[in-house]
Amino acid sequence: MTTPIYLGIVGVGGVGNAFLEQLGRLSSPPKLVLLARSSQTLSSSVPAYSPCIPFTNWEDSAKSTSLVKSGALPPAEIAAFLASAPGRAVLVDNTSDLALAQAYPIFLERGVSVVTPNKKGFSEDIALFNDIFSSAVKGNALVYHQCTVGGTLPVLSTLRDLIATGDEIIRIEGVLSGTLSLLLGEFMPGNGTSNARWSSLVSHAKEIGHTEPDPRDDLNGLDFARKLTIIARVIGIEVGSPGSFPVESLIPIELSSLPSSAEGIAEFMSELPKYDAKMDAAKNAAQEQGKVLRYVGSIDVRTLAIEVGLRPIEKGNPIANLQGSQIVSIYTKRYGANPLILQGGGGGGEITAMGLMADLLKVMERLK
């Protein structure tokens, strides 16, 4: 007899809604019994955990008296609700919330598996990273977080497969920010030339939604550093935090202390053109070498050196031709001088939701 799977979803934004739509297409979907966003939680009635929440038109169904409505619930209460379901339970965390990520061990110890693109739990303090996986063992639960690095690119699963089959990873190099890949690809194309000003490119990308609401969240390199931290930990390097290795920020130091308020963002955007000369100088230096500028992260496994920042790249390198996509080159003992290369778009609501769905399907198969 197939074990029923009970699902709780936290986060119903762009990724969350795309994920719900994809869930509705499954022939044998799990039972959705909890759906939470920042100010509201919708759940099935207990102890029957019925009726289930529909994947489509769930907002209309929230008016039903047969479903339980409440405000935002603390993670411990969500964990208790899912752990008491009459079957195996899975939490899908579509947020970037640190408090929820810090509670993953609570879910896992109680047997609730976790599927998430939330990088916080896997890139904050190393103690939390270790606690997440040890709690999964204690609770006989599963953790899938493929989308924390590279979107749907199978970066983490590939690295785990290489290690499990006895290969030796020597070096990892890549571009793991679609936004910075796009900006630098337009600022300095791999083929051809561009006279675009850096500040104008950042402004345009912000206007069309290709950056975070505050572009500094892309330009500071922290998100990229989190991804590199996760990669390093997965291959066995105990990186304490994303701040424990050099990360070059593309935010002018004079503008780095502006507040994160709407006023602060507006001031940053209006002041940024004054600092275009710095990026122009880096571009000219790369041109003189016959190279192009790219924002690259690297891990040298043998020396344990990890760094993220602007680098001049040879035009024949696959990284040089990027313009919006992500790429990871994995150098190993078996692959020798020809690295294993993973490349693709990797981002956006529909694509990230697809990656989450793939992880959920793997979890469901293993929990049966």
Side-chain angles (χ1 to χ4, degrees):
M1 182 177 178
T2 301
T3 303
I5 305 294
Y6 292 82
L7 184 65
I9 298 175
V10 180
V12 200
V15 172
N17 274 308
F19 181 67
L20 283 165
E21 183 181 334
Q22 292 177 26
L23 274 170
R25 299 182 200 146
L26 295 181
S27 57
S28 300
K31 299 176 181 293
L32 180 59
V33 294
L34 182 140
L35 189 61
R37 46 185 173 176
S38 58
S39 60
Q40 183 186 48
T41 303
L42 187 65
S43 60
S44 302
S45 299
V46 293
Y49 284 77
S50 178
C52 294
I53 303 165
F55 302 124
T56 57
N57 301 320
W58 61 268
E59 290 183 283
D60 291 338
S61 69
K63 302 169 187 175
S64 169
T65 56
S66 59
L67 292 170
V68 179
K69 292 166 283 296
S70 61
L73 296 179
E77 286 190 33
I78 296 175
F81 175 83
L82 292 175
S84 299
R88 302 303 302 270
V90 181
L91 168 73
V92 175
D93 172 19
N94 291 319
T95 75
S96 59
D97 183 49
L98 176 58
L100 183 54
Q102 289 173 326
Y104 289 168
I106 298 173
F107 287 86
L108 295 162
E109 281 196 15
R110 300 198 63 172
V112 179
S113 296
V114 173
V115 172
T116 184
N118 187 345
K119 292 181 278 292
K120 300 287 177 64
F122 308 94
S123 61
E124 285 288 319
D125 188 272
I126 186 68
L128 175 58
F129 179 87
N130 292 332
D131 194 16
I132 287 172
F133 290 98
S134 62
S135 296
V137 173
K138 291 177 188 175
N140 191 29
L142 302 170
V143 182
Y144 275 72
H145 62 108
Q146 183 80 251
C147 290
T148 56
V149 177
T152 55
L153 297 183
V155 178
L156 301 183
S157 60
T158 298
L159 290 170
R160 288 188 171 110
D161 287 346
L162 290 169
I163 292 169
T165 56
D167 202 354
E168 178 188 349
I169 297 173
I170 298 169
R171 177 178 171 81
I172 299 170
E173 180 180 73
V175 174
L176 289 167
S177 168
T179 300
L180 291 176
S181 169
L182 176 67
L183 288 171
L184 284 160
E186 293 178 340
F187 184 63
M188 196 172 189
N191 296 306
T193 60
S194 170
N195 295 319
R197 306 294 288 178
W198 176 251
S199 59
S200 298
L201 292 172
V202 174
S203 178
H204 178 66
K206 179 181 184 300
E207 289 172 5
I208 61 177
H210 283 177
T211 71
E212 293 295 326
D214 185 346
R216 289 172 294 178
D217 291 337
D218 294 299
L219 300 177
N220 63 15
L222 179 57
D223 185 68
F224 196 131
R226 286 189 180 279
K227 296 172 185 177
L228 216 59
T229 297
I230 295 169
I231 288 176
R233 290 174 176 177
V234 164
I235 64 175
I237 301 175
E238 293 206 350
V239 178
S241 72
S244 60
F245 53 86
V247 179
E248 181 181 1
S249 173
L250 300 187
I251 301 172
I253 192 167
E254 297 87 348
L255 305 181
S256 60
S257 61
L258 291 174
S260 56
S261 62
E263 293 78 11
I265 297 170
E267 185 176 354
F268 171 76
M269 296 306 301
S270 66
E271 292 292 312
L272 188 60
K274 297 179 182 178
Y275 301 92
D276 278 338
K278 182 179 179 181
M279 288 298 290
D280 287 340
K283 178 180 182 178
N284 292 335
Q287 281 179 331
E288 289 175 2
Q289 301 175 54
K291 299 179 180 181
V292 294
L293 273 184
R294 293 295 179 261
Y295 194 82
V296 180
S298 62
I299 301 173
D300 189 314
V301 178
R302 291 174 175 173
T303 64
L304 302 183
I306 305 174
E307 56 185 18
V308 179
L310 276 178
R311 300 288 179 270
I313 300 294
E314 296 283 354
K315 290 187 176 180
N317 190 310
I319 291 175
N321 292 320
L322 290 186
Q323 192 162 330
S325 62
Q326 301 182 49
I327 188 170
V328 177
S329 298
I330 305 171
Y331 295 83
T332 78
K333 185 176 181 180
R334 287 180 185 153
Y335 279 86
N338 298 308
L340 171 59
I341 297 176
L342 303 171
Q343 181 176 354
E350 288 281 343
I351 294 176
T352 302
M354 180 183 72
L356 281 171
M357 182 63 64
D359 275 356
L360 177 62
L361 292 174
K362 291 169 189 172
V363 168
M364 290 170 61
E365 182 64 28
R366 290 183 62 183
L367 291 180
K368 287 180 180 179

